[in-house]
Amino acid sequence: MISFQNFSFRYEESQDFTLRGIDMTVQTGEFILLTGRSGCGKTTLIRSLNGLIPHFYPGEIQGDLVMDGHSLLEMKPSQLAGQVGTVFQDPRSQFL
């Protein structure tokens, strides 16, 4: 289970929060589809799930992001690699 708990994120170079107050739980085995207009925060949400935020994209974080009782914000991307993955919209840009 992955749970966003009042999660907000603002990129270091930005004055505004890209994500604000996200409260959402994804149950084990559940598939979700993220859709929305360009610039609405889809990529930022994915970056927070796979550990790129805050380790490669610094900024201000509020709230927490929890997977199976552990804060993803405190885990390194290498610790998440076997548990969280990203599938790109364009399969030709996917790397292995």
Side-chain angles (χ1 to χ4, degrees):
M1 175 179 75
I2 296 174
S3 178
F4 288 86
Q5 300 171 348
N6 198 29
F7 185 78
S8 299
F9 180 74
R10 179 183 61 81
Y11 287 98
E12 192 173 67
E13 68 277 359
S14 178
Q15 292 183 347
D16 298 322
F17 279 83
T18 302
L19 301 175
R20 290 178 213 89
I22 305 292
D23 282 307
M24 175 177 70
T25 299
V26 180
Q27 299 295 332
T28 301
E30 185 175 24
F31 288 87
I32 64 167
L33 174 66
L34 278 174
T35 64
R37 66 180 180 9
S38 180
C40 73
K42 300 180 299 289
T43 299
T44 301
L45 191 82
I46 296 301
R47 287 175 177 166
S48 63
L49 282 171
N50 62 21
L52 295 177
I53 290 174
H55 301 288
F56 294 100
Y57 295 95
E60 180 182 347
I61 297 172
Q62 297 174 356
D64 204 358
L65 177 52
V66 177
M67 180 175 70
D68 297 331
H70 303 284
S71 175
L72 293 180
L73 303 175
E74 296 174 4
M75 298 174 75
K76 295 178 182 177
S78 61
Q79 294 173 292
L80 294 171
Q83 301 174 54
V84 177
T86 302
V87 178
F88 298 131
Q89 180 176 337
D90 178 4
R92 289 175 283 164
S93 65
Q94 188 76 40
F95 59 89
L96 301 174

